[in-house]
Amino acid sequence: MVRTPFTAVLAVLLVAFQLVPLGHLRAQTPSTGGHEHLTEVACVDVPPGEKRPEFGCFNVGVVTGLHFSQASVYWHLRAFPSRKAADAAKSATGIVVEEDGRVWLSEFGPRNIAPRGGKAIAVVGPLRLPAAKSYTAVLSYAPMRPGDNSRVHTHPGPEGWYVLSGEQCLETPSGAHRARAGGTMTVRANTPMELNVTGKTFRRAFALVIHDSAQQRGKPSDWKPPGACH
């Protein structure tokens, strides 16, 4: 049989379609927001020199050997014009990071502490501490997109958030808890949770976990969220 150019091209296209698995085609189909949603996100360390992904949750600062005389502490977040100024104001247990185009200093202690320069951004708390010989504070930065969500997990210590932009919804057994840009949120230790990015804009936030230094920062949970954030 002699094929015209049109029938030859049609035959090639049909064969190619039959060779591509259906699952592969679905994987390439964009979601409603124009991207494949990130699911089961966990905050991770990024090795020095390795390029960080554009979206996800990344541990950007840590301080160990913390001791507190009170059962609850507050997270004080301040912004500085330069890294040098933030380092000069930092206490021995503070954390300085550069994210979202700014320099940030995190300090931990009572609600009313004397400021040491910079601009006050937020006071997050109270963060109720479980009994421990010493504590570790881990600061994370999470740029995520609408529809992205974390894995279902728990922490052996309280967690606090400061939302830089967008919206988030934290689902726990007690229901849905929401925060928008400029807002804060806290959750107690050992609470099963799933964090969801809601709204229509990118969500960027800092998250802080203060936990027993003898335990890991977090672990997966078998709790099944009923979907209160949706």
Side-chain angles (χ1 to χ4, degrees), residues 68 70 72-76 107-114 123:
F68 301 104
Q70 60 271 28
S72 297
V73 298
Y74 290 81
W75 168 24
H76 296 260
E107 296 281 3
F108 323 106
R111 183 177 181 85
N112 298 313
I113 60 175
V123 178

Side-chain angles (χ1 to χ4, degrees), residues 67-200:
H67 296 88
F68 301 104
S69 58
Q70 60 271 28
S72 297
V73 298
Y74 290 81
W75 168 24
H76 296 260
L77 184 64
R78 305 184 70 84
F80 285 78
S82 68
R83 179 74 184 234
K84 182 178 180 180
D87 286 335
K90 181 178 80 69
S91 72
T93 58
I95 298 175
V96 175
V97 298
E98 298 179 52
E99 295 292 348
D100 214 49
R102 304 177 75 180
V103 180
W104 309 86
L105 170 62
S106 292
E107 296 281 3
F108 323 106
R111 183 177 181 85
N112 298 313
I113 60 175
R116 301 178 60 183
K119 178 183 179 181
I121 301 299
V123 178
V124 185
L127 300 171
R128 296 178 174 83
L129 302 172
K133 293 182 177 180
S134 69
Y135 300 91
T136 295
V138 182
L139 180 67
S140 304
Y141 174 69
M144 298 171 68
R145 300 163 296 188
D148 293 345
N149 64 270
S150 75
R151 67 177 178 175
V152 180
H153 63 287
T154 64
H155 296 291
E159 183 169 12
W161 290 264
Y162 174 70
V163 182
L164 293 159
S165 65
E167 303 175 15
Q168 68 180 42
C169 178
L170 186 74
E171 186 169 358
T172 71
S174 65
H177 312 271
R178 303 176 187 273
R180 296 184 176 184
T184 67
M185 180 185 292
T186 63
V187 68
R188 293 192 178 193
N190 302 308
T191 301
M193 69 185 87
E194 180 187 65
L195 189 137
N196 299 267
V197 178
T198 52
K200 298 181 180 180

